[in-house]
Amino acid sequence: MTTIAELPPGFADKVLSAQSTFRSVMDAMARPGSVQRIVPMAGAPGPMMRGTAAIALTLFDHDTPLWLDARMAESADVTKWLKFHTGAPVVQDSSIASFALVSNGGALPSFESFALGTSEYPDRSTTVIIQVESLNSGRSFELRGPGIDGVAALQASIKPFDLFERLHMNEALFPRGIDVVLVADDAVVAIPRTTRIVSKGS
Amino acid sequence: MAVLAHAEAGEIAARLRNLSLPDHQDLRTPENGLVMLRGRVGGDGAPFNLGEATVSRAAVRLASGEVGFGYTLGRDGEKARLIALCDALVQSRDFGGAVEREIIAPLREQLMVRRKQAAAAAAATKVDFYTMVRGEG
Amino acid sequence: MYVAVKGGERAIENAHRLLAHKRRGDQSVAEISLDQISEQLGLAVDRVMSEGSLYDRELASLAIKQARGDLIEAIFLVRAFRATLPRFGASEPVDTGTMRVQRRVSATFKDIPGGQILGPTFDYTHRLLDPSLAQGFVPERPAAAEASTAPTPRVTDILGRDGLIESSPEAEDGASVGDLTREPLNFPADRDLRLQNLARGDEGFLLAMGYSTQRGYGRNHPFVGEIRFGEVEVDFVAEDVGFAVPLGAIELTECQMVNQFKGSATEAPCFTRGYGLAFGQSERKTMSMALVDRALRARELGEEVLAPAQDEEFVMSHSDNVQATGFVEHLKLPHYVDFQSELGLLRKLRQEFSKASAETNTPDAMKEAAE
């Protein structure tokens, strides 16, 4: 069993690395579909990608309940690492989670099981972070919405295959809804609740 | 270990210098944050949030594997690191005794002197009602 | 019409420079240090920590220096600073029963276990200005006496043993502790949120509210059961460590107010309570807080809510001096467009008024009026 002493380290420079990672995620949210790079690196435990680890170190803390999918939750390294470096409480009930970490997109539960926010506080929704195979090759997607000048093209290899169909629910729910962050290694793409898919190639 | 949180970083560092320390590394570099301080309704009832305090924390690992944690009120990261180092040393067979003897015990002594002085000054302001003459004859 | 107004950057920059200059004052006078503020203006520091809701003497001293002694501005600075730090968690509730008391008085019982300890207090001073303090004053060493090792139980605990006073509300199993810095306030609010709000609340506001209850606006017949000031230890269960670690000690003031009794056919009469707790030596604040806490329990105790101090929405929405000063002081910022529209409306109304009065003054109208 891994002890705390053997866990992968956090950021070498906490402040600057967190600022830089925050900037990447913010740019990704502001320009949906665009691929942003996460530069500062921290060690990543178990099935967690290094981009996900950097996002965790930047955005998670004691006040952000965390839901882990089965593959993440089964890894003692992941749970110990998160506890030591972020202090975020891991919860079983996904409907109260601030963030969800999904390593196996094929087993992603229905978005309805997460927090969707309220009309008064639509921000109190779960931000779902899904690790995917690739954000530069695979099927092509065309996206529209605020933050996109015309149409944004995204090539990605994503599970679940019907991710964008599932995100249709955001249309009816607005201003409530789910924001998704896709991570592949050090690449990150955000699909905020305002983004709509217009076409899907092969 | 509570004694260390009451001491100054300089006092701990000065006493640590008398020991030949084993190799160690920062497992968590010192960082500052907040802890919400809680009181209880009526002093003994249900808890409520009174207000926050600044807290510094660190974690240190000895080459021999012992991990120590340091937490202290305030924003002195070096103090948190020194507490973490002492916490790790206390767990080690080679250093536990020396840390207790050379660092914790003398600091405890100092703390007790300070507390005793404060208590004596307060005690001097204790009201003695019995100096009054009572009207029962 | 939307009118964008821009400009004044240089004026603002120069105003800040002038402020910095004024803050420093005459440079032939020695600059004040944070230690001087912390050591010699300690009660101002205590107030900024309490209402800034952040226990850190050094930061509160810096805020007072930066704010030129304007304590509400200093509180604002401290609140803004705390928003930049991550929260590691919440402490174990502090135990004021184990306080190392520097001061402890009761107005209800003369002889309390552990005794009445006056400590450093302004009480019984003559409130005469002391010219000897103006310069070079060296105080005498404090007197010392054998300190008793007897415990100093809370006076309310002693009354509680005989059932003469209501017991404190117990925590409900699994209930989370409300935090108004995380969740916006909703009314009615539970007592945990009310006490958090009052603990951060403006001392002047709470003093006026507490005073109003004494003058009959929500009278509840208070006695000071006990005021105590001193150090308590803080423990924190750190997630990474897995057990409680000591963080050190903080100074607190606690006020237990013993109030008007209640009783019913099914319940024997007993005294009710109000509670005050604040950082540092903050006696006026905790006494006012305890009075207002008791007044705000009107609904729970089946009292008619008639006075402002009993109205939780009124009290809790207006107690925070950072919110209050923000809304009051924003009035001095440019409202040119708002005011233009008001001015336009007023001119139109005046035109209509003068037109109407001109018509009523015509001979026809006068004739009609005469008929």
Side-chain angles (χ1 to χ4, degrees), chain B residues 28 36 44 46 52 54 75, chain C residues 55-56 82 88 91 168-169 240:
Chain B
R28 186 202 296 290
M36 176 55 92
D44 58 351
E52 287 161 314
T54 53
R75 286 163 296 117
Chain C
Y55 196 96
D56 188 316
R82 72 156 277 288
F88 298 152
S91 79
S168 299
D240 53 359

Side-chain angles (χ1 to χ4, degrees), chain B residues 5-6 12 15 23 66 84 96 105 137:
Chain B
H6 287 273
I12 306 172
R15 291 181 184 281
D23 282 346
E66 291 85 353

Side-chain angles (χ1 to χ4, degrees), chain B residues 1-3 5-6 28 31-59 69 71-75 79 87 115-130 134, chain C residues 53-56 58-59 82 85-91 93-94 100 102 110-111 114 116-119 143-147 154 157 168-169 171 177-179 191-192 195-196 233-234 236 238 240-241 246-250 252 254 256 273 275 277 279:
Chain B
M1 293 302 292
V3 169
H6 287 273
R28 186 202 296 290
E31 62 180 334
N32 293 337
L34 303 168
V35 164
M36 176 55 92
L37 301 177
R38 286 186 172 160
R40 289 188 181 279
V41 180
D44 58 351
F48 69 96
N49 289 314
L50 175 64
E52 287 161 314
T54 53
V55 168
S56 197
R57 69 172 176 185
F69 295 94
Y71 276 82
T72 180
L73 288 171
R75 286 163 296 117
K79 180 174 163 186
D87 183 39
R115 282 193 184 160
K116 218 171 159 185
Q117 280 169 354
T125 68
K126 188 160 153 181
V127 183
D128 184 4
F129 287 104
Y130 295 102
R134 290 197 177 193
Chain C
S53 208
L54 184 66
Y55 196 96
D56 188 316
E58 195 186 22
L59 283 178
R82 72 156 277 288
L85 291 173
R87 191 189 281 179
F88 298 152
S91 79
V94 293
R100 289 185 290 278
Q102 285 293 301
K110 182 162 62 70
D111 303 318
Q116 306 241 10
I117 298 164
L118 298 183
E146 186 74 31
R154 284 177 290 252
D157 296 353
S168 299
V177 183
D179 185 353
R191 191 143 173 224
D192 53 352
L195 285 171
Q196 185 185 11
E233 297 292 317
V234 181
F236 170 61
D240 53 359
V241 188
L247 295 181
I250 59 169
L252 289 178
E254 178 185 61
Q256 303 270 6
R273 306 165 67 163
Y275 187 65
L277 187 66
F279 293 154

Side-chain angles (χ1 to χ4, degrees), chain C residues 188-199:
Chain C
D190 286 338
R191 191 143 173 224
D192 53 352
L193 283 171
R194 299 203 302 257
L195 285 171
Q196 185 185 11
N197 176 283
L198 298 178

